[in-house]
Amino acid sequence: MKPFRTTILPPHVCRFAIFMFVAGMALPSSLPSQKAKELIREACYNEVQQREKRTLWSYVAERHSNNHVFREQVIETVDAPVRHLLAVDGHPPTAAQMKEENDRHQALRNNASRRHAIQKQQGDDDKTMEELLRITPEAFVFRGSGQGGTVRKNSVSSKSWVQAQDL
């Protein structure tokens, strides 16, 4: 199996995107803009407070690379997230793939500079996420689009563009 490199969204970015989608769908259509904005502001504040507690997560992630689907168990540790291969294209990993996985874990365990690079990237991702959480209430306008008892989905329009580099 050839080494591969993919760019995937960090788990906290995915959680943020899901959070924003659910929050937008949960807002009643008749909710005034100010109340909707306050609800989003409080939710973002609560998420920042949780992030400061440095809770660690374990989850299963799918990664697509070179026309293959890799299913991995991800365990967040204080140092860096650890990934363990569970399946390739829906099938258990072969003996060769498991050997390669174990070799990768061993190399990471023995390579302090690689672990440090992963920690730095994780820290950069965390800072970016916290900044997104802080600007979200001001970056979007949340407004109900229903009129007099008619229920419609909320509309969320961009108030300003946020340029992000190498997220």
Side-chain angles (χ1 to χ4, degrees), residues 59-145:
Y59 53 92
V60 173
E62 278 190 2
R63 184 171 43 84
H64 299 259
S65 176
N66 299 331
N67 296 322
H68 293 286
V69 178
F70 298 90
R71 187 173 173 93
E72 300 171 320
Q73 173 74 35
V74 181
I75 301 168
E76 294 179 354
T77 69
V78 175
D79 294 329
V82 176
R83 298 176 167 276
H84 180 72
L85 185 63
L86 298 174
V88 178
D89 298 328
H91 302 289
T94 64
Q97 289 169 329
M98 286 308 298
K99 181 182 180 335
E100 184 177 320
E101 182 78 357
N102 290 334
D103 291 347
R104 185 179 62 79
H105 286 150
Q106 188 65 33
L108 184 59
R109 190 176 353 202
N110 295 331
N111 188 339
S113 64
R114 177 67 182 135
R115 285 193 315 272
H116 179 69
I118 292 171
Q119 285 174 323
K120 183 180 180 327
Q121 180 64 47
Q122 188 75 22
D124 292 346
D125 290 346
D126 287 344
K127 286 179 185 174
T128 300
M129 178 52 61
E130 287 180 21
E131 182 61 25
L132 284 171
L133 286 166
R134 291 183 202 289
I135 67 170
T136 294
E138 304 303 323
F140 296 95
V141 175
F142 298 91
R143 62 176 178 212
S145 59

